[in-house]
């Protein structure tokens, strides 16, 4: 049985986290969309007003994966939730239980923090991930579609007021 | 032209916000899912560790609508974003521009706060809202499906570790 160790990330983990972010983007067929840098991660993940937190995972002492999460909010529940933005386990360490261990740690953080929900998003073609999430008891919110305003469209709309 | 005024919500607005939350849930055909109460909103929206903020909107001096938002995070961008959890304008005040004014204020908060993205979710049958969002330049992230682990399934998964 591999030994899986999960800990909170520190600012010194930013080069590792960036490497994993790039590997995950490659897998999601979005290699060109990563504009994060180590200095940006240092400020945005570990600055005083950062909304987000990160975990890193080692398998048998080797760097194996990471997770980044923040707290969202449900008006219906009147309480915060936990939203998993990214979870990644490197190909070498898949099948070791590292992904499930990261998810379980996040579920424990959610429960301990009084969160009503633990949520994340998955690409609709990623069937292995979907099957895995369903096996845990997670349900798809497939009536909902996320919309995004970014870049010039965001700037233009903000300025028009 | 109606006069539209938007301000940050205060803890004294919680009864009003709860009324709007219930009206929005009724519209979304989820009346029974609102378990929020005024005390829960006071703690979760205005407590020291709250991840979320609220705006209230008046039209010609009358209470007309609200928005609740929080900061999410993009690992690809290495920066936070702004996520709009709920936006609601009461039927009496629709067509006044209140909804667009709330969205524009949020876009301005996003830009001023250095957010790379402004996002929200919409029910896939709510075509008037979808048409409106597209007219602003927002794009659907329709490859992504959100998954949720909540209630007993969340507790069971957290405890199994």
């Amino acid at each position: 049985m591999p030994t899986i160790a999960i800990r909170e990330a520190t600012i010194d983990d930013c080069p590792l986290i960036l490497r994993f972010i790039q590997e995950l983007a490659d897998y999601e067929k979005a290699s060109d969309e990563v504009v994060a840098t180590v200095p940006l991660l240092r400020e945005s993940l570990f600055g005083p007003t950062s909304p987000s937190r990160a975990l890193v995972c080692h398998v048998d002492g080797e760097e194996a994966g990471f997770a980044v999460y923040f707290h969202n909010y449900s008006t219906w529940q009147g309480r915060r939730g936990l939203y998993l933005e990214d979870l990644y386990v490197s190909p070498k360490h898949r099948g070791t239980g590292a992904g499930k261990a990261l998810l379980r740690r996040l579920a424990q953080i959610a429960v301990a923090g009084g969160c009503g929900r633990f949520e994340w998003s998955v690409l609709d073609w990623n069937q292995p991930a979907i099957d895995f999430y369903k096996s845990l008891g997670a349900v798809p919110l497939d009536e909902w579609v996320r919309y995004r305003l970014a870049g010039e469209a965001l700037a233009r709309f903000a300025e028009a007021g």
Side-chain angles (χ1 to χ4, degrees), chain A:
Chain A
M1 283 278 289
T3 300
I4 298 169
I6 295 170
R7 62 170 171 77
E8 280 189 45
T10 72
I11 198 165
D12 295 330
D13 292 312
C14 286
L16 173 67
I17 291 172
L18 183 60
R19 178 160 64 81
F20 285 150
I21 288 171
Q22 187 65 58
E23 287 180 22
L24 176 55
D26 295 345
Y27 177 72
E28 290 177 342
K29 305 172 184 170
S31 305
D32 297 344
E33 295 195 42
V34 176
V35 296
T37 62
V38 167
L40 271 175
L41 290 180
R42 283 191 181 127
E43 184 186 329
S44 63
L45 279 178
F46 298 97
T49 63
S50 169
S52 46
R53 300 281 177 276
L55 302 175
V56 294
C57 176
H58 287 70
V59 174
D60 291 334
E62 290 185 12
E63 297 160 342
F66 83 113
V68 169
Y69 67 98
F70 55 82
H71 287 292
N72 60 6
Y73 186 76
S74 164
T75 45
W76 293 357
Q77 295 204 324
R79 66 171 68 194
R80 65 181 186 170
L82 191 149
Y83 188 88
L84 170 61
E85 174 65 22
D86 265 351
L87 181 140
Y88 178 72
V89 174
S90 64
K92 180 181 174 185
H93 298 286
R94 287 184 199 154
T96 60
K100 192 168 188 174
L102 278 164
L103 279 173
R104 179 164 283 129
R105 176 66 61 90
L106 291 161
Q108 291 166 344
I109 292 169
V111 169
C115 298
R117 298 164 174 170
F118 172 25
E119 297 175 332
W120 59 90
S121 295
V122 61
L123 285 160
D124 59 8
W125 49 258
N126 193 350
Q127 198 59 45
I130 289 170
D131 293 342
F132 174 54
Y133 297 150
K134 286 187 173 172
S135 78
L136 306 179
V139 295
L141 308 182
D142 40 22
E143 255 196 324
W144 290 93
V145 180
R146 191 159 26 134
Y147 274 72
R148 174 179 296 167
L149 198 54
E152 282 189 30
L154 172 60
R156 201 161 46 234
F157 179 55
E159 280 166 16

